Amino acid sequence: MSAELEVKDVDLFYGRVQALRGLSIEVNEGEVVSLLGNNGAGKTSTLTMLSGLARAKSGTITWRGKDISSAKPWDLVRDGLIHVPEGRRIFSTMSVHENLLLGGYQVKDPKVVADRVEECYELMPRLLERRTQQGGTLSGGEQQMVAIARAYVGGPKLLLLDEPSMGLAPLVVKQVMELIGRINERGATVLLVEQNARAALKVAHRAYVIEHGHVTLSGLASDLAKDKAVIEAYLG
Ligand code: ATP
């Protein structure tokens, strides 16, 4: 069986800066896969490339059997490849509810959108309590939950999450990771970029370590969590 997502030997440049160097990763349907690595390793670039916001110079990107290396970001979102960027970027002057509804702007059937919003409230009762509150006045953890819920309303087949734990207290990180696990159980494949390797390896099935734009280590998350080099570099 071929993987849901296959990235093969990709090079990506910003002007003369090379961010990805022969990067290859695979994500199977139903998995949570984490990308670990230090600042500047190329994790965010991988996600922006997958969602069509940055273009690879060479290599191939195949999603659900289709070449997506020159696909338009809005077509990918419509088809269920949905990116939650670093820094959440929720609409600060709109309510929680309005933010969630916007996640479904490309979904044709309003009933499907309404049902998914209700599911989000079931999964995150905190958001239901705050449904009329302006996005900008929420705590960091609540904003992250809105960002993930908004993506859920779009109907993600493949959900790309960039540093969802950034700036959050440990208890809130735990809640966000549990939410990611529950969204995965509901059918979304997840590619998770994290600096918080400990939290990422708990929720992920497999992980890749990226250094200087390419993969230096990969394996089952449970094995990597016991790997001496990973412990020294990322879990110390
Ligand atoms: P972090 O954890 O700090 O976000 P990262 O692993 O996500 O790091 P990237 O943001 O993908 O790393 O950056 C990879 C490399 O590409 C870095 O050297 C970075 O400086 C460079 N880079 C990223 N975005 C741009 C850009 N828009 N213009 C020029 N260089 C960039």
Side-chain angles (χ1 to χ4, degrees), residues 5 16-17 19 25 37 47 76 118 127 129 136 169 172 179 187 210 222:
L5 175 73
R16 281 194 287 181
V17 176
I25 59 168
L47 296 196
L76 291 169
E118 285 312 309
L127 295 190
E129 281 166 29
V172 186
L179 174 63
I210 299 183
S222 51

Side-chain angles (χ1 to χ4, degrees), residues 67-231:
D67 175 3
I68 58 159
S69 50
S70 50
K72 302 280 187 291
W74 46 92
D75 289 336
L76 291 169
V77 172
R78 184 203 57 215
D79 293 344
L81 192 157
I82 302 185
H83 184 169
V84 180
E86 199 172 344
R88 357 243 198 242
R89 310 222 197 136
I90 66 166
F91 297 100
S92 61
T93 58
M94 296 174 89
S95 69
V96 165
H97 194 70
E98 287 164 337
N99 268 279
L100 298 193
L101 289 177
L102 268 176
Y105 82 105
Q106 289 212 93
V107 178
K108 291 213 173 67
D109 184 349
K111 168 89 170 61
V112 169
V113 174
D115 286 349
R116 287 187 189 146
V117 169
E118 285 312 309
E119 261 186 88
C120 288
Y121 289 144
E122 262 169 52
L123 278 171
M124 290 163 271
R126 173 82 74 98
L127 295 190
L128 179 61
E129 281 166 29
R130 289 164 193 270
R131 71 195 291 280
T132 59
Q133 191 172 326
Q134 280 207 342
T137 65
L138 297 167
S139 72
E142 289 162 353
Q143 290 195 15
Q144 187 62 63
M145 287 188 188
V146 170
I148 295 174
R150 183 178 59 185
Y152 185 75
V153 175
K157 293 189 176 87
L158 176 59
L159 185 59
L160 310 177
L161 297 170
D162 199 349
E163 302 274 7
S165 78
M166 175 113 68
L168 305 182
L171 184 64
V172 186
V173 172
K174 191 164 171 275
Q175 289 166 352
V176 168
M177 293 297 152
E178 280 171 9
L179 174 63
I180 293 168
R182 271 186 259 136
I183 288 179
N184 172 246
E185 282 163 14
R186 287 179 182 225
T189 304
V190 177
L191 183 58
L192 168 67
V193 159
E194 262 299 341
Q195 293 257 352
N196 185 337
R198 201 175 295 278
L201 290 175
K202 264 195 196 141
V203 73
H205 302 109
R206 289 190 304 116
Y208 291 89
V209 174
I210 299 183
E211 288 173 33
H212 306 295
H214 69 271
V215 172
T216 53
L217 200 60
S218 65
L220 290 176
S222 51
D223 290 342
L224 291 182
K226 288 182 270 178
D227 184 278
K228 199 161 164 271
V230 172
I231 293 172

